[in-house]
Amino acid sequence: MLLDPRITEVASDLGWLSHEQKGFLPGVHGIPEHALLLQTVVEETKTKRKHMSIAWLDMCNAFDSVPHAILNELFTSFRIPEDLRCILVDIYPGNRTDFAVGKEFIRIFPTAGVRQGDALSSPIFNLVSEPPVRAGKSNIDPRFLLFGSLVKTTAYADDIAVVTNSPSENQKIINVYTLTANTLGLQFNAGKCACLVFDKGKPSDAQCTIGDQLIRCLGPDDQETYLGTPIGGKLRFRPPTDLIPNLDKIAASHLAPWQKL
């Protein structure tokens, strides 16, 4: 996907995106930054015997679920050139798709979903998912203090992690995220969410919920893969047994040789 860096630069410079959102931003290495931050939080918690809770939140079909009515509100609320606004409205709320079935055509009018693969898809989704991020981080509860700075949340598009001092605080933030996401037509998949809780530097079995569903609580030896990095009570890397199957998948893909390399 070709992404014009000016699109996300404008959104970031104008304050439309929180600094916690690092998905597809030009010149920002969001994946290693977020992963290293959470790993440091875990290590600091263990070393200083602190209380801490991390929750990883997974959205259900995030890009495909955004209602076009919400996108239309988004396009009309931002100060963007009118020509661009008309193009966006034509692509989304005014979009139609024709399918050829034999000699007949079936016409449908999609009502949800952010188009993927074009230069605007990522910044549009980041802007749509901004309200939950802001609602969650603006909560007045104290957050985890790391080297003099408060760690609240990390976001890479729809990959979100929430950091607090306790599972009860984390539950409050999760509830805020859930409520705000629901108003946008988005939902979290409790089956793919996870939490890691420490009590005086040691993993605890305290749990959090999405609605009325419990989310997986990591044990002392469990890991949650966040942005490709395993994070848990113990600092680990991907097992070496994953290397060969992953290389086989790359070799069998339709990538160009230089991309495979």
Side-chain angles (χ1 to χ4, degrees):
M1 179 181 66
L2 297 178
L3 181 63
D4 188 340
R6 291 172 296 181
I7 299 171
T8 45
E9 280 181 0
V10 169
S12 181
D13 292 344
L14 292 179
W16 294 351
L17 293 177
S18 299
H19 72 271
E20 289 87 355
Q21 175 60 263
K22 298 184 183 298
F24 313 106
L25 295 176
V28 176
H29 304 288
I31 292 177
E33 284 185 20
H34 281 340
L36 180 59
L37 176 62
L38 294 187
Q39 286 179 328
T40 305
V41 166
V42 172
E43 291 304 307
E44 179 75 1
T45 299
K46 293 165 58 180
T47 302
K48 301 292 181 61
R49 297 184 179 181
K50 292 184 176 182
H51 298 276
M52 184 273 291
S53 176
I54 299 177
W56 291 274
L57 306 180
D58 181 87
M59 287 186 182
C60 302
N61 301 318
F63 276 74
D64 296 332
S65 300
V66 181
H68 287 175
I70 297 296
L71 292 178
N72 192 46
E73 292 183 20
L74 176 72
F75 301 148
T76 56
S77 64
F78 286 119
R79 298 174 58 186
I80 57 177
E82 189 60 31
D83 290 345
L84 175 58
R85 194 190 323 274
C86 291
I87 292 174
L88 291 173
V89 171
D90 183 61
I91 291 175
Y92 287 101
N95 177 254
R96 75 184 190 193
T97 303
D98 293 331
F99 289 92
V101 181
K103 295 182 179 180
E104 298 182 0
F105 283 92
I106 298 177
R107 177 166 294 173
I108 64 171
F109 295 87
T111 59
V114 175
R115 297 170 66 93
Q116 299 181 55
D118 62 71
L120 286 172
S121 60
S122 297
I124 286 176
F125 182 81
N126 282 351
L127 289 170
V128 170
S129 60
E130 178 65 14
V133 175
R134 292 199 179 196
K137 74 174 187 175
S138 64
N139 193 282
I140 61 175
D141 284 340
R143 301 302 176 87
F144 188 86
L145 185 63
L146 179 68
F147 307 144
S149 298
L150 289 176
V151 180
K152 300 180 178 181
T153 186
T154 64
Y156 195 94
D158 58 322
D159 291 307
I160 298 172
V162 180
V163 183
T164 62
N165 291 313
S166 69
S168 60
E169 292 176 4
N170 216 325
Q171 186 62 63
K172 292 180 182 179
I173 308 303
I174 292 174
N175 293 342
V176 171
Y177 266 96
T178 302
L179 179 61
T180 309
N182 288 345
T183 62
L184 300 175
L186 301 172
Q187 292 183 330
F188 290 110
N189 183 352
K192 291 187 177 180
C193 297
C195 65
L196 175 64
V197 179
F198 278 85
D199 185 4
K200 295 182 179 180
K202 294 185 178 181
S204 167
D205 58 0
Q207 291 184 301
C208 296
T209 63
I210 299 289
D212 58 356
Q213 293 182 282
L214 288 173
I215 64 177
R216 181 170 64 102
C217 182
L218 301 185
D221 297 321
D222 294 332
Q223 304 284 310
E224 173 66 16
T225 300
Y226 179 63
L227 301 177
T229 302
I231 299 175
K234 295 181 180 179
L235 181 59
R236 292 179 177 172
F237 299 95
R238 287 186 176 276
T241 53
D242 287 353
L243 179 60
I244 299 302
N246 287 338
L247 289 176
D248 288 338
K249 291 179 182 178
I250 294 174
S253 71
H254 296 292
L255 296 172
W258 65 269
Q259 291 174 316
K260 293 180 179 181
L261 181 61

